[in-house]
Amino acid sequence: MRRADRLLQIVQILRRAKYQPISAQKIAEELEVTPRTIYRDMASLESVGVPVRGEAGVGYVLEDGLDLPPLLFNSLELETLMLGARWVEAHGDADQQMAAKDIVAKIAAVLPDHLRDEFYDVSLYAPPGSTETYVGVVTSGQLRQALRSGQIIEIDYINEAGAQSRRRVWPISLGYFNFKRLLLGWCELRQDFRAFRADRIQSIDVLDQKLPKSRAQLKKEWWAVESKRQPHLVRHTI
């Protein structure tokens, strides 16, 4: 890897960390160089005004104020973007399928000619869409809107045994499993985290009450609980 490319990649690694300190050792392992090389690179970045803050024994953080174009995609990133867009086209909701096409068009419009051709010619495909589709009284679009609201919701829910209940839920996330949807949230009735089958939700009301905690904090707490229940789980932090 050329040094200029490595410096750009270091910036991207720090961006990806989202203000969490990351050690020179960890950066070096990803880029397959020595920590000493990373120390020199960090000094070079600081010398040209890149707002990198480092602390011995803690790691490096990229602070606000960096004026660097974000659309510097490499081949692997373009492949990943296209694969994700194709999965949504095959399995997402109708509005998300259209959004995926729009995203591809917007990205392609700002790519150089040689990368644009490479982007459209990516030979990675998601499984084709099933003839089965998500069917529920409450649409996944309504569930997504409830998540964006940052409010407590109230749902009428029918469990696997056919029993119906009214639940107050702090929504955290919505999982997509082909034509199924799972709403993850904190259930006030059970005083625990629960995953609700979206097709069993009979109605949903967004209440005029803010979540007591941020969704990010709730997700962190859910992971702490779930990782003890299922130690084999692999965390995804995008």
Side-chain angles (χ1 to χ4, degrees):
M1 181 183 293
R2 295 181 308 164
R3 185 166 184 269
D5 292 336
R6 190 174 67 246
L7 292 176
L8 286 173
Q9 189 59 31
I10 289 173
V11 171
Q12 185 59 29
I13 291 170
L14 294 173
R15 274 177 167 163
R16 188 199 309 152
K18 301 176 183 176
Y19 304 108
Q20 296 298 315
I22 182 168
S23 68
Q25 178 65 41
K26 191 168 183 179
I27 297 172
E29 288 173 0
E30 180 169 339
L31 299 181
E32 298 181 344
V33 296
T34 66
R36 185 179 296 275
T37 297
I38 298 302
Y39 297 144
R40 289 197 297 265
D41 288 343
M42 289 299 184
S44 297
L45 288 171
E46 290 183 52
S47 71
V48 295
V50 176
V52 174
R53 176 169 55 84
E55 185 175 335
V58 178
Y60 293 95
V61 171
L62 182 64
E63 298 181 326
D64 293 330
L66 178 63
D67 185 18
L68 185 67
L71 286 175
L72 297 173
F73 295 118
N74 59 36
S75 295
L76 178 58
E77 291 167 342
L78 289 174
E79 284 183 350
T80 304
L81 282 167
M82 182 59 86
L83 178 60
R86 285 171 175 168
W87 190 96
V88 174
E89 274 198 78
H91 302 285
D93 304 322
D95 57 342
Q96 292 174 320
Q97 292 171 351
M98 185 58 67
K101 294 177 181 178
D102 288 342
I103 288 169
V104 168
K106 287 179 179 179
I107 292 172
V110 297
L111 291 174
D113 290 343
H114 70 287
L115 285 179
R116 185 181 304 117
D117 293 340
E118 182 179 333
F119 186 47
Y120 280 128
D121 289 341
V122 167
S123 56
L124 305 180
Y125 292 89
S130 169
T131 54
E132 297 183 84
T133 58
Y134 168 74
V135 177
V137 176
V138 174
T139 69
S140 48
Q142 288 175 284
L143 293 172
R144 286 187 278 118
Q145 186 175 2
L147 280 167
R148 288 193 296 267
S149 74
Q151 310 281 90
I152 296 174
I153 63 173
E154 207 165 47
I155 62 173
D156 283 311
Y157 190 70
I158 299 177
N159 67 17
E160 191 173 1
Q164 185 165 346
S165 59
R166 185 77 170 168
R167 312 283 189 101
R168 280 170 53 99
V169 177
W170 307 354
I172 299 172
S173 63
L174 184 63
Y176 283 70
F177 301 89
N178 292 338
F179 55 90
K180 296 187 184 299
R181 308 284 185 263
L182 284 180
L183 176 68
L184 173 65
W186 172 264
C187 177
E188 292 187 1
L189 178 65
R190 303 302 183 197
Q191 286 295 292
D192 198 0
F193 294 103
R194 286 289 188 270
F196 299 95
R197 280 264 303 266
D199 57 319
R200 293 179 181 160
I201 298 175
Q202 303 304 297
S203 68
I204 181 171
D205 293 310
V206 178
L207 306 180
D208 189 21
Q209 292 179 260
K210 289 285 187 182
L211 294 177
K213 303 177 183 180
S214 69
R215 284 194 294 112
Q217 180 60 33
L218 288 169
K219 188 184 295 184
K220 184 177 180 180
E221 292 177 8
W222 166 79
W223 177 256
V225 172
E226 199 64 20
S227 58
K228 291 179 181 178
R229 290 173 176 166
Q230 303 185 62
H232 64 281
L233 287 179
V234 178
R235 186 174 189 176
H236 299 281
T237 56
I238 294 177

